[in-house]
Amino acid sequence: MAKKNQTLGEFIIENQTEFKYSSGELSRLINSIRLAAKVVNHEVNKAGLVDIIGAAGETNIQGEDQQKLDVYANDKFIQTLTNRNIVCGIGSEENDDFIAINSSDDKNQNKYVVLIDPLDGSSNIDVNVSVGTIFSIYRRVTPVGTPVTIDDFLQKGDQQVAAGYVIYGTSTMLVYTTGHGVNGFTLNPAIGTFYLSHPNMQFPEVGRIYSINEGNYAHFPQGVKDYIKYCQEEKEDRPYTSRYIGSLVSDFHRNLIKGGIYIYPQTSKAPNGKLRLLYECNPMAYLAEQANGLATDGFQRIMDIKPTELHQRVPIFCGSRKMVEKAKEFMKNSQEK
Ligand code: P6P
């Protein structure tokens, strides 16, 4: 049972028996993410003060300019996950291929792989808008003690053992699930401790906020155009409010608290949408379902999609249950016309 003002450390210990595998491993996993989150938070909060922002002059596999903080955050999460000797592999938005950890050491009894978007929304850094880290944790499927393979990463979202995000906003929060609901912890930067501030987070069944980049309207599928018009109709419960921060973690977090739907659909220019299945959509889908919400690609459950590539993109509609269901109706109806 979550108690307000409990520290993250106390919460993990009190609830580690819920983790369906050996308890100590979850603690070490979440603790390594907690440490990296505090280190990255420190740098994000001073980004405006030192010349750490701005492109690092390189581009990542996505062809996007790598902001120095992207690189820094990626390095910190990989370093802490590696040092804790708990994972056998890491997949990151910033790395073309997955990273095998201690794979040559046959004593490597590590059982988990982590997929991570180390600094999502990083294009917002130099305009002082909140950004986030997203993580997804699986148990490996290949034999323990052997080198990790791509199969350990290409698992359906419903095989996740934990997932969550860190949001570096007006306050820094760690929000995560291990399959027993979603809990939010707020960092007290003065003492570097995360406190349980949002126990048992749940999407309101219906919200009044829709989040989508309407600049792409001309390229949206008809079902999305129809849903946007539905949101804008003058009715008893509408029009809804349009809010789009351009940072998935921030839009998702606001919708989780207030109710709402976030949509990044396929377009004529991007037939699979923009967001990545393994380290953006699956972890957010796990959180959404654990918080009484839904996450689909417009037609099927995100967590039922069998991944085929480390960096594959999928469309995503996620948030309050009734809103995602309504959007799915519009997508289905437009297909049948
Ligand atoms: P657009 C940030 O790059 C991101 O991955 C998400 O955090 C955000 O919701 C989306 O892309 C913004 O994309 O095309 O609307 O700028």
Side-chain angles (χ1 to χ4, degrees), residues 64 93 117 119-124 132 134 212-214 216 244-251 262-264 274-276 280:
E64 296 163 345
E93 176 173 49
D117 183 354
L119 210 59
D120 178 71
S122 54
S123 55
N124 289 310
I134 309 172
I212 187 169
N213 183 343
E214 294 188 60
N216 297 323
Y244 191 71
I245 300 172
S247 167
L248 167 62
V249 170
S250 308
D251 281 312
Y262 171 94
I263 303 173
Y264 208 105
K274 173 184 180 184
L275 300 193
R276 309 296 177 169
E280 291 175 324

Side-chain angles (χ1 to χ4, degrees), residues 121-137:
S122 54
S123 55
N124 289 310
I125 293 165
D126 43 7
V127 293
N128 211 6
V129 167
S130 52
V131 293
T133 296
I134 309 172
F135 61 90
S136 170
I137 301 172

Side-chain angles (χ1 to χ4, degrees), residues 297-308:
D297 65 357
F299 302 101
Q300 66 177 314
R301 185 173 174 248
I302 288 283
M303 293 208 285
D304 286 340
I305 298 173
K306 176 68 177 93
T308 53

